[in-house]
Amino acid sequence: MRRLVFPKLTRSGGSLRAIVVACAVVTCIHEALITQVPITKRDIYYRNVELFKKQLVVDNMVDDLAATFAVTRDELFVRASSKGVFCGSVLSLRLESGTVIAGNDRQPTIIPSGDDIQELIIEEDIAWVMVIEKEAVFQTLCRVGFTRRNAFERPGILLTGKGYPDIATRQMLHKLSTGLPEEWGWR
């Protein structure tokens, strides 16, 4: 028999606040599971900032719940917030819902959760994929249409995680790097 103690005991013995936090997070997760609409850790935090006080409290609680029940965050319908964007009309994303998100050469397109992406659609041969750390540089290159106006003969794709990349951005870059034809020299 396995014994679960949740939440963890503190030096003072226990914490009513920790139980209230756990109940609040579980309530949000339950709602997401019932409605089949994923929620982000950030959404949970903003539902009761006064209770949680810090984003880290929600992050740790969600991770603790997932570990306690031996499931992934995705199985709890908790997703990471998407912050990454891409630029390039040669790339479209077909989502699990059937929706197609088309890229644009001058406007950034938000990268959805990797689990929502069914297929990457490359409209024509591309010469390059450029990952840019700084959002300001990305925005400038996007505004001037760099994906089409450059020294290469073929268009490309700009991608940024706006600093440290989120999970969705890393997943998309992985899908790009493993999904492009070998003759294009990507591997």
Side-chain angles (χ1 to χ4, degrees), residues 25-98:
V25 172
V26 166
T27 299
C28 293
I29 291 171
H30 179 257
E31 180 184 318
L33 289 166
I34 294 298
T35 62
Q36 295 288 292
V37 176
I39 191 169
T40 66
K41 290 180 179 179
R42 199 81 177 143
D43 292 335
I44 295 171
Y45 170 72
Y46 279 117
R47 287 190 179 187
N48 199 336
V49 175
E50 190 175 314
L51 171 64
F52 301 127
K53 301 203 186 312
K54 296 179 185 174
Q55 177 69 52
L56 185 62
V57 171
V58 173
D59 295 349
N60 290 340
M61 185 58 66
V62 169
D63 292 343
D64 286 351
L65 286 167
T68 299
F69 297 118
V71 296
T72 65
R73 272 196 340 234
D74 282 344
E75 290 173 303
L76 293 175
F77 267 66
V78 178
R79 302 256 174 93
S81 298
S82 293
K83 68 174 188 168
V85 291
F86 75 93
C87 186
S89 63
V90 295
L91 177 63
S92 295
L93 311 174
R94 183 180 320 282
L95 304 183
E96 292 292 337
S97 66

Side-chain angles (χ1 to χ4, degrees), residues 84-136:
V85 291
F86 75 93
C87 186
S89 63
V90 295
L91 177 63
S92 295
L93 311 174
R94 183 180 320 282
L95 304 183
E96 292 292 337
S97 66
T99 303
V100 175
I101 299 173
N104 186 301
D105 288 318
R106 294 187 180 270
Q107 295 291 320
T109 304
I110 294 176
I111 299 169
S113 171
D115 295 332
D116 291 339
I117 300 173
Q118 179 183 38
E119 177 185 16
L120 300 179
I121 304 164
I122 307 291
E123 304 291 340
E124 58 186 278
D125 287 357
I126 60 173
W128 51 273
V129 174
M130 185 183 300
V131 179
I132 300 170
E133 180 184 3
K134 301 296 182 190
E135 183 183 12

